[in-house]
């Protein structure tokens, strides 16, 4: 099991990682952050994605789908943004937000590593 700090540090070792945050999507509050760039305020970006998560959760509920979101991918010109809601009992209402450089990352491996980090995260 990993605590939040070690989980965020582990995520930053993913090839192409720019930044990672743990976010509460009910409040938009960032609970932990690592990485980022001077041009990108990771806290603002993470909080802004709470609307994306909430909208998808509402859609699943309205459609009465008996399923959970594994992850969501936003593809930009030079970056991948992966949003992974935590599905464990003590992670409800939280998501991991990972920013990756498109040219320096392997999307499949990054998704796999983020899933492993989520499974080992102890809050």
């Amino acid at each position: 099991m990993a605590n939040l700090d070690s989980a965020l540090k582990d995520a930053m070792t993913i090839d192409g990682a720019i930044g990672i945050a743990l976010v509460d999507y009910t409040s938009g509050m960032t609970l932990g952050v690592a990485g980022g760039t001077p041009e990108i305020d990771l806290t603002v970006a993470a909080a802004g994605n709470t609307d994306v998560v909430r909208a998808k959760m509402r859609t699943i509920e309205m459609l009465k789908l008996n399923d959970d979101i594994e992850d969501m991918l936003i593809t930009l010109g030079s970056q991948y943004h992966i949003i992974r809601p935590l599905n464990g009992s003590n992670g409800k209402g939280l998501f991991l937000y990972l920013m990756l450089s498109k040219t320096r990352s392997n999307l499949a491996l990054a998704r796999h590593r983020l899933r492993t980090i989520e499974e080992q995260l102890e809050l």
Side-chain angles (χ1 to χ4, degrees):
M1 289 297 171
N3 68 22
L4 179 56
D5 287 336
S6 64
L8 295 176
K9 286 177 187 171
D10 191 19
M12 287 303 298
T13 67
I14 296 172
D15 287 341
I18 297 169
I20 179 86
L22 179 67
V23 186
D24 180 331
Y25 66 78
T26 57
S27 68
M29 188 172 172
T30 302
L31 306 175
V33 66
T37 69
E39 300 83 29
I40 300 171
D41 185 335
L42 195 57
T43 302
V44 172
N49 278 296
T50 60
D51 292 333
V52 175
V53 174
R54 283 188 229 141
K56 192 60 188 172
M57 296 287 194
R58 275 194 309 272
T59 303
I60 289 172
E61 189 177 309
M62 289 176 359
L63 294 172
K64 296 179 178 33
L65 298 177
N66 187 21
D67 214 343
D68 294 317
I69 298 170
E70 184 174 326
D71 62 34
M72 295 187 279
L73 173 64
I74 299 170
T75 305
L76 304 178
S78 62
Q79 297 174 356
Y80 294 123
H81 293 209
I82 302 173
I83 299 168
R84 184 171 184 85
L86 276 58
N87 291 313
S89 60
N90 57 346
K92 289 290 184 193
L94 305 176
F95 68 91
L96 287 168
Y97 173 60
L98 175 65
M99 294 174 61
L100 297 165
S101 166
K102 246 175 138 174
T103 58
R104 296 182 302 126
S105 64
N106 177 315
L107 185 57
L109 287 175
R111 289 181 67 223
H112 174 73
R113 289 275 313 278
L114 194 58
R115 180 179 57 244
T116 302
I117 290 166
E118 183 230 341
E119 290 169 352
Q120 295 174 348
L121 182 60
E122 188 175 292
L123 298 173

